Amino acid sequence: MSVLLQTSKCIFRKPFNNTFCKYVFLRKNSDVPKKFITFDEVVAQRRAEAMRSVVVQVNSDSSFNELYGYCSKYASIKDIHHYKNSGGEHFMVIEFASEDNLKDVLKSCSSHNKDHDVISVQSPFLWFRAAVGNKEKFAATGKKLAVKNGTEICNEDVLLEDILNCETVSDQIQLLYEKTTLNDLSIRLRYIVARQLEMIFNSLYTNVKIQPFGSSVNGFGRMGCDLDLVLMNSITEEMGAASRRLVFQEKRSARQLELAGALLELRVAGVARLTRILNARVPIVKYAHEYAGLHCDLCYNNSAAVHMSELLWQLGELCARARALAVLVRRWAAATGLTQPHPGRWLTNFPLTLMVLFFLQRTGLLPSLNRLVSEAGKEDIRIAEENVNCTFLRDLNKLPADSYEQNDDDLQTLLFKFFEFYSQFDFQEKAISINEGKPIRKPNSLPLYIVNPLEQSLNVSRNVSYEECERLRLEVRNAAWHLESCLDGKKSDDWGILGLIEKKSSRGLKKLLRVGNSHRLVSMKDLFSDNDNEPSVEGIRSKMQKFVKTDKEVDTSVTEMKSEMSKEQKSGKMKFKNSQTASAVYRIRRDKII
Ligand code: GTP
Ligand code: MG
């Protein structure tokens, strides 16, 4: 994420998620620099950025000059960023100097399709048609792409190797955070996807707003996380004024998401694989946005969820260590299987993040939510749907400095203390409440109780089963032991956070690769000869046996691989080229495979 830093003369952009950048300054003429910017200000800047941006599909990143030259004829360009979607298609995000510039560009667009099934719709997603006739020549401007391949997720093997080479565990945690946290372009794109829907809905409704929430905006998101969106009826105070005597006749409907689903399916370019989950407590429409390469969840009138994201974002602003720690803990939970990509009787990232924030409150790094509520003024009053009170201090500059960051522990110490804290936590009797900032008595016997900060009568981990809670207790103890064992200073292959964030199933193989063992690698050629696309199980097994004989040290990894193979063989599901073992070997060191 980046913010616009404004001085009396100019506006410039500064990244603020790639370092421990604690303070953000937003300065108006002659103002004293502010230590913290508000969530609303960040959102307003991002929305404004999206309102002057388009996404253009191009042939490749070398289309830059032509696209720049062509668009400059219509409007002044601020920046162009390049990315590829999962299908390898190329896109450029163009930010123009103003919203009016964008309107001029949209006026110049054409609809390419004469098919009678297509009725064109205005949207910030465009494509760049090949020039007709003689190619126009554009003079070199010296301008360059602001970023190339900007949404590419860091290669896992490179990342793990870089982590291995870090000096300290704190450096490892910081590196993981910097390399995996949502970057500027990914956030821009998310706001443009929201803007695309807003444009379509606003051609039907008086005034709706589509607002991203969740990890896309709360400061805890990783590259590639899903995009949570909320469709909100955004009636301004002016529009709602009783003095306006002429009022629109309106139609009541509790089925707004049904229409939204149909619109998305039929009218929104890029939307694919749409599913409706309308009977849930929070009904949603799920879909993939193919141009943006995102998985999206759209819900309706859920401003409490946006305020929840605001709260999490604020706490992350108060203590940058919170974000780095939460990113690591989320990764660890995914690697141990405590969290899963689909919903079930286990933890999810949101309650897990609350657990991190709660722990940081216990260490004096963060204030309790009650403290933020007690410091709130009239301007902070927010009442969400169903009268959910979302009032808490918004301007963190007003918060007394001694109410946060009262601890100098480095990330390594904090991480160890986090695991130790939850190893000793009395889950049976106590609930976790970031409102109080201290454990409270559990109001019922559910295995895990994490108070919903904005609706305190609710438990955000009510779905977690007894077994999953036990697993959590076991895994935090394992993690604490692992970190303690790293204190002797010897750097083994699963040193520091590597032993926490690598999936156990792939650890054996990676170990084999890390300790200078590349010569022992199972080569793809050894496994599958060129003229033998579907080799026999026996063939592979005998080749694996050869490796067992070559070196006893790799015993574990090979046994793991063999058991994978025999399991698959028994279930009759073995697909050689795509088998987990083969692809893992291939993926781990493509460059080393002969
Ligand atoms: P990832 O998508 O896993 O990266 O994290 P996320 O924080 O976006 O979580 P998720 O997509 O599951 O939920 C999106 C947002 O909805 C969260 O950040 C919360 O603000 C809110 N949310 C999620 N689960 C609950 C819940 O059980 N109760 C309430 N009140 N809000 C929730
Ligand atoms: Mg999410």
Side-chain angles (χ1 to χ4, degrees):
M1 190 185 280
S2 78
V3 290
L4 300 179
L5 306 187
Q6 190 175 357
T7 66
S8 53
K9 288 250 168 74
C10 63
I11 295 180
F12 56 97
R13 187 173 302 284
K14 182 181 193 309
F16 80 86
N17 63 0
N18 56 355
T19 61
F20 254 69
C21 176
K22 210 164 48 172
Y23 305 131
V24 175
F25 298 89
L26 184 87
R27 199 191 299 175
K28 293 204 184 98
N29 301 340
S30 72
D31 274 357
V32 181
K34 281 207 259 173
K35 199 169 166 187
F36 298 107
I37 187 174
T38 66
F39 180 76
D40 282 347
E41 284 168 320
V42 173
V43 171
Q45 287 165 353
R46 285 293 181 186
R47 281 176 60 80
E49 198 175 78
M51 281 176 164
R52 49 175 191 265
S53 301
V54 286
V55 178
V56 186
Q57 187 171 2
V58 290
N59 247 341
S60 72
D61 56 287
S62 51
S63 310
F64 170 75
N65 274 335
E66 210 176 332
L67 183 68
Y68 189 95
Y70 181 81
C71 291
S72 303
K73 291 196 298 189
Y74 297 96
S76 152
I77 294 171
K78 221 171 152 202
D79 269 325
I80 302 192
H81 309 246
H82 165 267
Y83 73 91
K84 285 195 277 181
N85 66 1
S86 54
E89 294 167 315
H90 295 254
F91 296 85
M92 304 265 184
V93 175
I94 311 180
E95 185 190 350
F96 294 100
S98 71
E99 205 183 325
D100 284 342
N101 280 162
L102 178 84
K103 284 181 187 156
D104 292 339
V105 172
L106 291 181
K107 267 190 228 151
S108 79
C109 292
S110 73
S111 170
H112 68 282
N113 211 321
K114 293 207 170 69
D115 186 331
H116 69 270
D117 285 343
V118 176
I119 305 176
S120 64
V121 61
Q122 228 183 50
S123 144
F125 284 86
L126 312 169
W127 64 281
F128 194 38
R129 183 163 30 200
V132 192
N134 285 344
K135 243 188 177 179
E136 223 174 325
K137 290 256 173 344
F138 296 105
T141 56
K143 286 269 181 192
K144 285 201 173 118
L145 274 174
V147 59
K148 192 173 151 184
N149 271 348
T151 59
E152 196 172 43
I153 294 176
C154 176
N155 177 288
E156 186 75 0
D157 306 318
V158 174
L159 174 69
L160 294 179
E161 208 153 311
D162 288 348
I163 290 176
L164 181 70
N165 293 330
C166 281
E167 284 286 306
T168 65
V169 176
S170 296
D171 291 347
Q172 289 187 320
I173 302 171
Q174 185 62 23
L175 184 83
L176 177 78
Y177 172 62
E178 287 169 10
K179 296 256 171 156
T180 60
T181 196
L182 265 188
N183 66 11
D184 172 62
L185 181 57
S186 300
I187 296 171
R188 278 170 188 268
L189 208 47
R190 284 155 199 264
Y191 276 87
I192 298 173
V193 167
R195 175 68 191 148
Q196 180 193 25
L197 289 195
E198 211 170 78
M199 283 169 80
I200 290 179
F201 289 127
N202 276 329
S203 63
L204 275 181
Y205 297 101
T206 318
N207 202 9
V208 297
K209 208 170 161 185
I210 307 281
Q211 170 79 51
F213 69 101
S215 57
S216 297
V217 298
N218 68 15
F220 296 98
R222 59 170 173 81
M223 292 291 286
C225 68
D226 68 355
L227 168 59
D228 301 294
L229 294 167
V230 55
L231 164 64
M232 291 199 288
N233 187 5
S234 153
I235 299 295
T236 58
E237 238 174 73
E238 212 184 357
M239 279 174 75
S243 57
R244 291 188 170 195
R245 292 190 51 202
L246 292 174
V247 185
F248 294 113
Q249 297 281 5
E250 276 152 6
K251 183 148 183 106
R252 286 184 68 83
S253 173
R255 293 159 55 193
Q256 306 291 355
L257 264 191
E258 273 181 50
L259 176 61
L263 278 172
L264 277 160
E265 203 161 38
L266 303 174
R267 302 297 293 137
V268 184
V271 168
R273 301 187 292 283
L274 182 135
T275 50
R276 298 162 176 86
I277 306 172
L278 302 177
N279 294 328
R281 194 178 59 85
V282 180
I284 54 168
V285 172
K286 283 179 103 60
Y287 62 95
H289 198 297
E290 293 194 324
Y291 301 147
L294 290 172
H295 291 280
C296 308
D297 288 351
L298 176 72
C299 62
Y300 174 65
N301 256 7
N302 188 2
S303 60
V306 179
H307 294 309
M308 188 80 86
S309 307
E310 180 176 21
L311 174 65
L312 263 51
W313 183 86
Q314 285 201 326
L315 294 172
E317 279 295 281
L318 283 175
C319 171
R321 279 171 283 176
R323 289 186 180 149
L325 199 64
V327 164
L328 185 274
V329 170
R330 282 171 170 232
R331 276 286 292 238
W332 159 78
T336 52
L338 283 170
T339 54
Q340 303 278 344
H342 46 280
R345 304 274 286 156
W346 39 81
L347 265 177
T348 61
N349 279 332
F350 171 61
L352 197 62
T353 308
L354 292 181
M355 286 176 68
V356 174
L357 297 174
F358 178 72
F359 158 73
L360 293 173
Q361 289 174 327
R362 301 302 301 144
T363 57
L365 282 165
L366 289 174
S368 68
L369 175 54
N370 286 351
R371 179 72 195 260
L372 294 183
V373 173
S374 70
E375 300 279 346
K378 258 199 221 154
E379 64 287 0
D380 297 313
I381 296 174
R382 308 279 190 283
I383 308 294
E385 300 77 26
E386 294 172 24
N387 283 334
V388 176
N389 190 348
C390 302
T391 303
F392 50 84
L393 181 71
R394 261 56 190 197
D395 182 358
L396 296 174
N397 299 296
K398 293 180 183 163
L399 195 64
D402 64 1
S403 55
Y404 58 95
E405 294 245 283
Q406 298 302 297
N407 175 331
D408 289 332
D409 282 348
D410 60 15
L411 285 167
Q412 167 172 359
T413 313
L414 285 175
L415 183 64
F416 178 69
K417 285 186 178 172
F418 169 84
F419 290 125
E420 202 179 40
F421 176 78
Y422 284 111
S423 303
Q424 289 159 13
F425 192 83
D426 182 2
F427 288 100
Q428 201 159 352
E429 296 291 328
K430 301 287 185 202
I432 290 162
S433 161
I434 71 158
N435 303 71
E436 300 289 337
K438 58 182 186 221
I440 58 168
R441 183 159 287 282
K442 253 165 69 167
N444 60 34
S445 59
L446 282 171
L448 182 62
Y449 204 105
I450 302 176
V451 176
N452 179 332
L454 299 179
E455 283 178 89
Q456 290 178 59
S457 58
L458 301 179
N459 172 10
V460 299
S461 54
R462 67 199 161 280
N463 60 312
V464 176
S465 66
Y466 175 77
E467 290 74 19
E468 288 298 319
C469 187
E470 281 305 298
R471 252 165 56 71
L472 169 69
R473 296 168 65 162
L474 184 81
E475 291 294 353
V476 287
R477 254 177 279 148
N478 284 344
W481 283 330
H482 169 75
L483 283 178
E484 204 163 21
S485 72
C486 295
L487 291 178
D488 63 10
K490 278 194 207 124
K491 291 189 180 180
S492 60
D493 63 292
D494 65 349
W495 174 72
I497 67 166
L498 285 169
L500 303 177
I501 64 170
E502 271 189 90
K503 282 219 166 76
K504 286 199 178 102
S505 56
S506 61
R507 215 174 275 168
L509 275 170
K510 295 205 170 149
K511 183 172 178 174
L512 169 72
L513 294 162
R514 278 219 203 85
V515 285
N517 275 326
S518 54
H519 63 284
R520 299 176 192 156
L521 271 177
V522 184
S523 128
M524 291 299 279
K525 276 200 180 150
D526 274 350
L527 284 176
F528 312 117
S529 67
D530 285 340
N531 56 1
D532 180 14
N533 284 337
E534 300 281 70
S536 70
V537 180
E538 280 316 310
I540 291 189
R541 192 182 285 165
S542 71
K543 273 158 190 160
M544 302 306 273
Q545 292 285 4
K546 211 168 76 188
F547 286 98
V548 180
K549 277 184 218 142
T550 342
D551 197 324
K552 288 250 159 55
E553 278 176 61
V554 297
D555 231 352
T556 344
S557 341
V558 175
T559 315
E560 263 178 25
M561 288 191 241
K562 279 165 62 189
S563 86
E564 285 276 0
M565 286 168 60
S566 77
K567 251 190 273 158
E568 287 194 12
Q569 193 191 358
K570 270 181 208 146
S571 68
K573 275 197 242 151
M574 191 145 180
K575 287 192 204 123
F576 297 106
K577 284 261 172 178
N578 299 329
S579 79
Q580 207 180 340
T581 311
S583 68
V585 175
Y586 185 68
R587 192 175 57 76
I588 288 165
R589 268 298 162 72
R590 232 160 280 171
D591 51 345
K592 292 258 164 91
I593 289 167
I594 317 131

